[in-house]
Amino acid sequence: DNFYEIISVTDRVRKNFKGTEVNLCSIVNAKSGLCAEDCSFCSQSVKYNTDVETFALAGADTIIKAAVEAEARGAREFSIVTSGTKIEKESDVARLEEILSGMREASGMERCASIGMTGRETLQRLKDAGLESFHHNLETARSFFPNICTTHDYNDDVMAVRRAKELGLYVCSGGIFGIGETWAHRVELAATLKELDVDSIPVNFLNPRPGTPLEHAKNLTPRDCLMIIALLRLMMPEKDIVVCGGRDVNLGDMQALIFAAGANGMMIGDYLTTPGRDSAKDLKMIADLGLTPKGSCHA
């Protein structure tokens, strides 16, 4: 078992490329539920009976207030996350423009959006309004994707990432692990992300949601999670690797090792439909490790 040997290597690689700074990001669930896609891990799909809260795109004041609160908790990047395949209604696009310009005035945070497979013209409008980062996960390997989602093609996700890259946005794209994929699938996903030259890799670990097809899945150990982070760091040494959903529930007492495994960022605060860990605990953990929060996620 060479677990600790690998961790010592990834720790050195992270320090070499990323130093001792940690990117802290936060999100807001800006539009919840009623998604027509059938991703088998997601409680926001209309295909499953999950009792998730549903609401249309929240008002600008609500989201800007959430961003200011996240900044006060120590986050330096804030993502507006909407359920559904893409944002296309003119009223929604106009509201996002209002939110982005309002965020620019109210806080110093990096402005990010996770808005599905939104088209180039809309993305350009949002960039003009102040959008800096675009988040869109590929979720898993191309060869495993049909086991997880049947309502759109993997190429649609790849094109969403490519569009954002072409527009000059900072692109976050990663996946969710523990959904039944093998180590070969994990390597395949990492290779795709490397080829697409994404800027940041969000790493999510399945927190099984009641009512979804994966509600009883138990595929990960804490060491599996750390080795997934290590794999990504060794394959993409220069990229940002940010540990997001499922961190607390999957890693528990071992989550302080995510940085030694190669991560240089993590999401703080609540997730989309599940609560996160107390931000003060996360900030203390970072300080205890001799690390410091970065001034902004990609300054």
Side-chain angles (χ1 to χ4, degrees):
D1 185 349
N2 55 2
F3 174 78
Y4 291 105
E5 287 89 340
I6 293 171
I7 290 289
S8 70
V9 172
T10 52
D11 191 46
R12 288 202 303 275
V13 173
R14 174 191 57 80
K15 281 181 188 165
N16 182 56
F17 286 97
K18 297 297 176 181
T20 57
E21 290 188 321
V22 176
N23 293 340
L24 296 178
C25 306
S26 202
I27 62 173
V28 64
N29 188 3
K31 178 173 176 275
S32 181
L34 305 177
C35 180
E37 306 295 333
D38 67 353
C39 304
S40 58
F41 54 81
C42 186
S43 61
Q44 302 207 58
S45 171
V46 292
K47 315 286 186 187
Y48 317 127
N49 184 17
T50 63
D51 295 325
V52 73
E53 186 181 6
T54 62
F55 51 84
L57 186 61
D61 290 348
T62 301
I63 294 176
I64 293 166
K65 179 171 178 275
V68 171
E69 288 171 353
E71 187 172 35
R73 287 195 302 268
R76 285 296 171 265
E77 189 248 15
F78 188 77
S79 188
I80 304 153
V81 183
T82 60
S83 63
T85 306
K86 57 187 167 184
I87 291 291
E88 54 189 12
K89 273 172 55 182
E90 174 56 33
S91 58
D92 284 350
V93 177
R95 184 170 298 173
L96 283 176
E97 289 177 313
E98 180 189 356
I99 291 164
L100 289 162
S101 60
M103 273 182 67
R104 184 155 50 182
E105 292 171 16
S107 82
M109 302 186 84
E110 303 285 345
R111 296 170 294 278
C112 177
S114 182
I115 48 178
M117 295 172 281
T118 295
R120 183 185 306 271
E121 191 177 307
T122 299
L123 278 184
Q124 183 63 60
R125 280 180 60 181
L126 296 177
K127 185 184 179 191
D128 293 343
L131 184 68
E132 296 166 283
S133 305
F134 175 79
H135 168 272
H136 188 79
N137 283 341
L138 299 185
E139 307 304 5
T140 192
R142 180 186 292 274
S143 62
F144 190 67
F145 187 76
N147 297 288
I148 296 302
C149 179
T150 67
T151 43
H152 71 267
D153 189 79
Y154 197 76
N155 282 335
D156 297 337
D157 291 314
V158 170
M159 286 310 299
V161 170
R162 286 209 166 113
R163 268 196 300 273
K165 285 286 292 184
E166 286 165 7
L167 285 172
L169 291 162
Y170 174 94
V171 177
C172 309
S173 183
I176 183 165
F177 299 91
I179 54 178
E181 80 285 351
T182 64
W183 275 103
H185 293 131
R186 294 165 185 167
V187 173
E188 183 188 341
L189 172 60
T192 301
L193 296 169
K194 183 179 175 77
E195 181 191 345
L196 287 168
D197 194 29
V198 301
D199 300 291
S200 176
I201 301 98
V203 182
N204 298 280
F205 302 116
L206 180 68
N207 181 0
R209 298 290 83 212
T212 65
L214 288 172
E215 66 174 318
H216 300 301
K218 289 180 182 169
N219 298 316
L220 293 172
T221 67
R223 283 165 64 128
D224 288 336
C225 297
L226 295 168
M227 286 298 93
I228 288 164
I229 297 167
L231 167 73
L232 295 166
R233 174 53 70 204
L234 294 173
M235 285 186 69
M236 290 171 279
E238 298 176 25
K239 301 301 185 181
D240 289 329
I241 296 173
V242 183
V243 179
C244 299
R247 165 166 58 93
D248 206 21
V249 71
N250 281 283
L251 281 152
D253 291 340
M254 292 180 74
Q255 59 188 301
L257 287 173
I258 62 173
F259 304 107
N264 68 302
M266 67 180 185
M267 186 180 289
I268 60 171
D270 292 339
Y271 306 114
L272 279 180
T273 60
T274 58
R277 197 164 84 136
D278 178 12
S279 299
K281 286 185 179 176
D282 285 335
L283 292 172
K284 183 177 188 305
M285 177 177 76
I286 290 167
D288 287 347
L289 290 166
L291 304 170
T292 54
K294 193 173 181 180
S296 67
C297 252
H298 44 93

